[in-house]
Structure formats: C-alpha cells, structure tokens
Amino acid sequence: MAKVEYTHEIINGKGIMTRKFYGKIDADYIIDSFVYLIDNNLIKDNCIGIISDFCNATIEMDIKDFKKVIAFIKQNKKSINLKLAAIVDTPNKSVFPFLAQSFDMPVRPFSTVEAAKKWIISVDD
C-alpha cells in the first residue's frame, strides 16, 4: 500500500518541504500529494523547494503518465514555483528527474537528502 510522509523544515530562513514516499506509487498518487500540499496550505511563503524521496517506493509510471505530472506542475506554477529535488536510488527512478529537465522544469535527481537540501538553499541555479 502506498504512503507518503510530509515534513517541513527551515534552513537559514528558507523552508523546505519533504515528501517521503513508500510502496507502489503512480502518477496520480504523486499528483494527489501535490494537491494535498496545495489544499492544506503546506507550501508556505518561505518555502523554496520540495524534496521527494522515492528510495522506499516503486514508481509505476510510463512517459504518458509522467507527462500528466509535468502538466499538473506547470498548471499550478503559482503554487509550485519551487526547486524540486528527487531522491532516487536506482537508474529506473533517475530517469524521471532527467526527463523533467527536458520539459524545462527546475528538477534535479540526488542520492542523498543532504545534497538536495544544499542545492535547494543555494542561490546558484
């Protein structure tokens, strides 16, 4: 069964939301997670990035499904105008953040949460 845990932290006055996914997830589940963040006003004014940790999840998504996620993010750019970091641990999971970059999305893959946080709070890129 799929599950997601949410945490928010402040680093140097900047907010970072982390979503940690578990189980089998698909495009709709990822979109629902964004909807949850938006509907519950969890993306605060000081939030500059979202980390999505997929290490404990199996992503069941093809390119068509992935385009639904990209379209949702672009449609909700006002709410999700943030750096997006994906924590991935396999080549199959790494392909999605790289594909997102080809859609001109501010997404980067990382192998650790610490590296993702460092990128999000950096003023470069």
Side-chain angles (χ1 to χ4, degrees), residues 2 24-32 58-61 65 69:
K24 291 182 181 180
I25 61 170
D26 59 14
D28 291 330
Y29 197 79
I30 293 169
I31 291 170
D32 288 347
T58 303
I59 302 173
E60 296 183 345
M61 185 167 44
D65 294 330
V69 175

Side-chain angles (χ1 to χ4, degrees), residues 4-5 28 34 37 39 44 52 56 62-63 67 70 79 84 88 93 97-99 109-110 112 115 117-118 123:
V4 63
E5 294 175 352
D28 291 330
F34 277 119
L37 292 175
D39 287 352
K44 306 289 184 190
S52 300
N56 295 301
D62 60 22
I63 189 67
K67 286 181 178 180
I70 296 298
S79 302
L84 304 173
V88 293
K93 294 176 189 175
F98 285 118
L99 276 174
F110 294 92
T112 67
K117 288 177 185 178
K118 192 179 229 184
V123 290

Side-chain angles (χ1 to χ4, degrees), residues 42-56:
L42 296 175
I43 303 174
K44 306 289 184 190
D45 289 340
N46 68 340
C47 189
I48 61 168
I50 298 174
I51 298 172
S52 300
D53 185 342
F54 296 107
C55 292
N56 295 301

Side-chain angles (χ1 to χ4, degrees), residues 14 48 83 117-125:
K14 298 174 182 177
I48 61 168
K83 288 183 175 178
K117 288 177 185 178
K118 192 179 229 184
W119 172 68
I120 288 173
I121 64 170
S122 71
V123 290
D124 301 333
D125 208 1

